[in-house]
Amino acid sequence: MKILILGADGYLGWPTCMYFSSRKHKVIGIDNYFRRTASMELDCEALIPAPNLLQRVKLWKDTSGNKMNIHIGDITDYAFLLSIFKEYNPDVVVHYAEQPSAPYSMINREKAAFTLQNNLMTTLNVIYAVKETNPECHIIKLGTMGEYGTPNIDIEEGWLEIEHKGRKDKFLFPRQTGSLYHTTKIQDTDMLWFYVRTWGLRVTDLMQGPVYGLSTDESDMDSRLMPHFHYDEIFGTVLNRFIVQAVAEYPLTVYGKGNQTRGFLNLKDTMQCVYLSAEQPAEHKQLRIFNQLTEAFSVNQLAEKVKKIGDKLGYNVAVNSVKNPRIEKEDHYYNIHYTGLLELGLQPHFLTDDVLEEIFKVVDKYKDRINRSAFLKGIKWT
Ligand SMILES: NC(=O)c1ccc[n+]([C@@H]2O[C@H](COP(=O)([O-])OP(=O)(O)OC[C@H]3O[C@@H](n4cnc5c(N)ncnc54)[C@H](O)[C@@H]3O)[C@@H](O)[C@H]2O)c1
């Protein structure tokens, strides 16, 4: 495959580039360093220092012998994106290149406007570039489980058949989310569905849960190949955040009652899910939606797991309930269906004590770099 990865410098993008490259596919990557500049601006940089993307690619070539083609540029710039599509004519495009943080989108009007503009415009540009250069190209788009919110009914895999006044039809599963960022993901899904119906594109939209971890077979080859690892309130996902808090002996910041439940997955499984989706593409005129998670946990369950391993390793781990800065249900029903990726061949890596211990050990090596002021930045929904 010739695969174009948008957001190639990111937490998920960089390991994905290496994953496809090590399997001998031709990888083309794009990034505009938004994540690096935003985290510098907000004083919440990643825990592990990462060489820039061009240096990463050189390191990868030296380590694995495999080449990648990298371009630094902005996907909201249509002329730039189109030139890349024309130069390489990819078979698959993986679209990670969005502003990925709910708290960031809630900071103020300027950040809200950026999130809307960046996320919707990148998706629109990908759709147009595919239509203009090769409508056969399979679009793999990262959505989020957060699109569904926490409805009081089971969450199906993307679609819901509804019977109303004796007639039936199938619709996108109803979505009521909890941040502007998540709202842009819903808007992306609606936009993709519109162009699938109108232009017959082939799209896979992955409703992914929060990802944890930093190890993949490729990143384990050299510590300089590790992905960005954020632990701050803005860009850090909850389990990564708790582990770094435990190592810093900072009380784990459970929001409100901590009964909020979500579906999670290991970084290694994100790689598998994207790879399996690329190898077994959606059909023409198909918007294929998968719920991308392997296990569900409440925030309290995650805090307990982290405390157990942290205490075992000799850290003094306290758990603290802080006033919830978000508007979200703290007690709710949560039952998700997620069989599609398992049927494609996903072999899940579950959250075992050993997996947690491994992440603790890596984090401990960088504990001098922990910036405690990044754990709580005071971003509120109201
Ligand atoms: N990490 C998770 O737990 C998670 C969960 C669900 C969904 N997602 C989604 O997966 C995708 C990747 O997430 P991530 O955690 O790797 O985020 P990330 O911020 O680390 O990666 C996104 C990358 O895209 C780049 N980017 C953003 N806008 C761009 C633009 N206009 N032009 C070029 N590059 C641009 C950023 O610089 C960054 O390197 C995002 O769309 C996110 O919403 C992530």
Side-chain angles (χ1 to χ4, degrees):
M1 279 180 270
K2 250 187 289 173
I3 175 148
L4 173 60
I5 297 175
L6 310 177
D9 190 48
Y11 174 47
L12 308 181
W14 174 240
T16 307
C17 288
M18 292 189 289
Y19 194 90
F20 278 85
S21 174
S22 70
R23 286 158 183 78
K24 305 296 173 204
H25 299 290
K26 180 170 175 63
V27 173
I28 307 110
I30 302 181
D31 207 288
N32 68 348
Y33 293 140
F34 160 74
R35 165 70 83 108
R36 290 181 189 246
T37 39
S39 53
M40 254 194 286
E41 179 201 333
L42 297 162
D43 190 25
C44 56
E45 285 175 82
L47 180 68
I48 301 168
N52 70 41
L53 190 51
L54 300 170
Q55 292 163 352
R56 280 174 151 181
V57 169
K58 281 201 198 101
L59 271 167
W60 173 244
K61 167 95 176 23
D62 295 344
T63 312
S64 70
N66 296 318
K67 280 203 280 190
M68 292 179 200
N69 293 72
I70 291 295
H71 297 263
I72 304 302
D74 192 328
I75 288 140
T76 64
D77 173 352
Y78 185 61
F80 163 70
L81 184 67
L82 188 63
S83 73
I84 302 286
F85 269 85
K86 285 187 171 157
E87 184 175 347
Y88 296 101
N89 192 22
D91 304 302
V92 189
V93 53
V94 179
H95 179 18
Y96 287 127
E98 296 205 343
Q99 188 299 96
S101 157
Y104 184 95
S105 73
M106 302 299 289
I107 293 177
N108 56 27
R109 198 213 70 90
E110 183 207 351
K111 301 284 191 269
F114 174 81
T115 304
L116 264 180
Q117 194 267 344
N118 189 64
N119 293 2
L120 298 187
M121 210 47 73
T122 53
T123 301
L124 183 74
N125 284 351
V126 171
I127 290 168
Y128 263 84
V130 164
K131 160 84 162 34
E132 210 169 312
T133 58
N134 174 15
E136 293 291 306
C137 175
H138 176 209
I139 301 174
I140 299 180
K141 164 74 181 36
L142 265 288
T144 142
M145 280 302 296
E147 290 187 38
Y148 300 119
T150 49
N152 199 28
I153 58 172
D154 284 14
I155 298 176
E156 303 298 331
E157 204 141 12
W159 303 91
L160 186 66
E161 195 169 284
I162 294 184
E163 192 172 339
H164 181 64
K165 296 184 178 169
R167 301 180 69 82
K168 277 190 192 161
D169 206 344
K170 202 171 100 178
F171 298 92
L172 283 169
F173 191 91
R175 290 155 303 147
Q176 308 190 89
T177 191
S179 79
L180 183 78
Y181 152 69
H182 289 99
T183 302
T184 64
K185 293 289 190 184
I186 294 178
Q187 292 167 321
D188 282 341
T189 300
D190 279 332
M191 188 173 12
L192 288 163
W193 180 215
F194 170 70
Y195 285 111
V196 164
R197 296 196 308 272
T198 308
W199 290 343
L201 304 181
R202 42 166 76 190
V203 178
T204 300
D205 199 357
L206 297 170
M207 301 297 129
Q208 180 174 245
V211 182
Y212 60 83
L214 36 63
S215 161
T216 65
D217 289 347
E218 295 75 28
S219 68
D220 290 348
M221 288 161 81
D222 183 320
S223 63
R224 293 167 300 172
L225 295 172
M226 272 198 278
H228 290 304
F229 190 78
H230 279 268
Y231 58 92
D232 55 277
E233 178 188 339
I234 302 169
F235 292 114
T237 49
V238 56
L239 183 59
N240 291 351
R241 230 162 55 211
F242 281 175
I243 294 171
V244 179
Q245 290 172 349
V247 169
E249 301 196 334
Y250 184 103
L252 309 190
T253 54
V254 170
Y255 292 168
K257 289 187 190 168
N259 293 326
Q260 303 91 314
T261 304
R262 302 288 183 265
F264 293 85
L265 77 163
N266 190 308
L267 178 63
K268 289 180 176 160
D269 291 343
T270 296
M271 302 301 103
Q272 281 192 71
C273 292
V274 171
Y275 195 78
L276 289 165
S277 300
E279 268 189 322
Q280 301 165 73
E283 306 289 335
H284 295 278
K285 296 192 181 182
Q286 186 190 13
L287 171 62
R288 182 176 62 164
I289 300 179
F290 293 129
N291 292 344
Q292 186 165 311
L293 63 141
T294 58
E295 295 169 280
F297 298 106
S298 71
V299 175
N300 285 333
Q301 285 171 326
L302 291 179
E304 271 165 35
K305 281 178 180 290
V306 169
K307 179 169 168 49
K308 178 180 149 200
I309 300 301
D311 287 346
K312 178 183 157 198
L313 295 175
Y315 302 100
N316 179 17
V317 184
V319 179
N320 192 16
S321 167
V322 299
K323 191 170 179 317
N324 195 340
R326 303 179 176 209
I327 305 292
E328 62 185 0
K329 288 183 200 152
E330 292 178 5
D331 292 299
H332 58 88
Y333 179 75
Y334 206 61
N335 192 28
I336 319 158
H337 293 261
Y338 50 102
T339 51
L341 287 160
L342 294 167
E343 281 160 17
L344 289 193
L346 171 66
Q347 306 279 329
H349 294 80
F350 294 113
L351 183 59
T352 60
D353 290 357
D354 289 347
V355 166
L356 274 169
E357 253 189 78
E358 282 309 309
I359 306 175
F360 262 88
K361 282 183 192 151
V362 178
V363 168
D364 191 76
K365 287 191 198 148
Y366 297 91
K367 68 177 177 221
D368 293 344
R369 285 178 50 91
I370 298 174
N371 168 7
R372 295 168 73 90
S373 73
F375 288 136
L376 277 180
K377 308 280 288 181
I379 299 161
K380 295 191 182 67
W381 264 225
T382 51

